[in-house]
Amino acid sequence: MLEAAKSSSFDALFYRYNSLYLLRRHFRAIGISGDLQPASAGDRPVLYIMNHSSWWDGLLAYHAAKLLTRRRQYFMMEEAQLRKFQFFRRLGAYSINRSEPADVRASLRYTARLLSEGGSVWMYPEGELLPLEHRPLELKEGAAVVLRLCPDTAVVPVTLYHGLFFHPKPEATLVAGPPQIHPWKAMDRHSVTALLASCLREQLDGHRRLILEHQGHMPAGFEPLMKTGGSVHERYDAWRRGGR
């Protein structure tokens, strides 16, 4: 497996590139509701579990974590992709190769080590990229293995909902749910996985309903994660207003 090789100088440079160019170029708005560093988790290690429905998921999670947390952040990434984009290792990405059981075990042990050393880790426990509306949402057992290896960990479920609504650029919202703190060591992997799947599934369905109830507009209470990127539609409206 490929371990993370964090570089603070590269991290600072890439964060500016991601926030000031990549995200603003491709998104009209990004917002978040909830707390990525919940006080109720205390000093426990934090494992973030997130649904996985777009190429942008990792960069959106990275952006939110840089803005809203102070802990060292790590991200599990498919080995084929990480070998292609090895610079992500310098941001805290490390690999998992799901086709090799020995590599999977090594990656999960490495995840538990990062957590026990005080880092926070982002995982996509569906195990593959699936369409946003794909149901049922089902999780692999990797997160459960990690939690049994590092049972003091708090799990923060994070859901992402994105779409093209009233503008040419998509809008994305993240919801960080309440931390899940349970006696992981006393639970079997199936029970842990079922609990996490139920939590993430209910949160994502509630997140979806909230966006639909607001007809695609970002609901009140979401904290903006970047300055709104103007779209062609908005620039045209501004031109029309100025021409009156």
Side-chain angles (χ1 to χ4, degrees):
M1 63 161 290
L2 301 175
E3 296 189 359
K6 288 180 76 70
S7 164
S8 57
S9 57
F10 182 79
D11 195 358
L13 180 65
F14 184 84
Y15 172 71
R16 290 180 61 81
Y17 173 69
N18 187 52
S19 59
L20 299 179
Y21 176 72
L22 278 181
L23 297 182
R24 290 203 64 198
R25 182 183 181 189
H26 292 283
F27 288 88
R28 178 184 177 272
I30 303 167
I32 188 169
S33 174
D35 193 350
L36 291 179
Q37 274 195 183
S40 57
D43 294 328
R44 294 171 178 268
V46 177
L47 175 66
Y48 299 97
I49 59 170
M50 185 173 167
N51 62 303
H52 194 20
S53 61
S54 83
W55 183 89
W56 289 98
D57 296 352
L59 291 177
L60 290 167
Y62 166 79
H63 180 65
K66 285 289 289 182
L67 274 177
L68 302 174
T69 70
R70 293 195 177 100
R71 293 187 181 183
R72 298 191 307 279
Q73 302 288 329
Y74 296 90
F75 304 84
M76 181 182 282
M77 188 171 174
E78 284 289 343
E79 185 168 311
Q81 290 297 306
L82 189 55
R83 288 193 180 279
K84 186 177 180 181
F85 302 105
Q86 291 225 21
F87 65 88
F88 282 126
R89 295 177 65 194
R90 299 166 72 183
L91 304 176
Y94 63 96
S95 73
I96 184 167
N97 181 358
R98 300 183 191 280
S99 65
E100 295 291 340
D103 285 357
V104 171
R105 290 192 293 272
S107 294
L108 297 179
R109 287 194 298 269
Y110 181 69
T111 303
R113 192 182 95 199
L114 293 175
L115 290 167
S116 66
E117 292 173 351
S120 294
V121 176
W122 293 73
M123 289 181 67
Y124 303 94
E126 289 173 280
E128 58 184 321
L129 195 153
L130 294 166
L132 182 57
E133 301 298 341
H134 174 82
R135 297 295 186 275
L137 186 150
E138 297 179 344
L139 306 187
K140 304 290 193 275
E141 292 191 342
V145 173
V146 169
L147 292 170
R148 285 173 49 80
L149 290 172
C150 189
D152 289 337
T153 301
V155 178
V156 173
V158 179
T159 50
L160 168 66
Y161 200 85
H162 53 83
L164 287 163
F165 302 116
F166 301 100
H167 303 277
K169 291 181 180 180
E171 300 184 26
T173 51
L174 296 158
V175 171
Q180 302 296 306
I181 301 171
H182 298 278
W184 307 118
K185 188 73 171 178
M187 302 167 65
D188 61 56
R189 288 187 295 177
H190 178 75
S191 298
V192 174
T193 302
L195 187 155
L196 297 181
S198 176
C199 179
L200 198 63
R201 186 185 307 121
E202 290 176 10
Q203 184 172 307
L204 182 58
D205 288 344
H207 189 169
R208 177 182 182 273
R209 285 194 300 271
L210 182 63
I211 299 301
L212 294 180
E213 287 168 2
H214 287 78
Q215 299 182 334
H217 296 286
M218 191 173 297
F222 276 76
E223 177 183 353
L225 291 180
M226 73 170 195
K227 185 178 179 181
T228 299
S231 66
V232 173
H233 178 93
E234 289 168 308
R235 288 195 290 272
Y236 177 68
D237 282 348
W239 175 80
R240 290 185 61 200
R241 288 194 298 270
R244 290 176 183 173

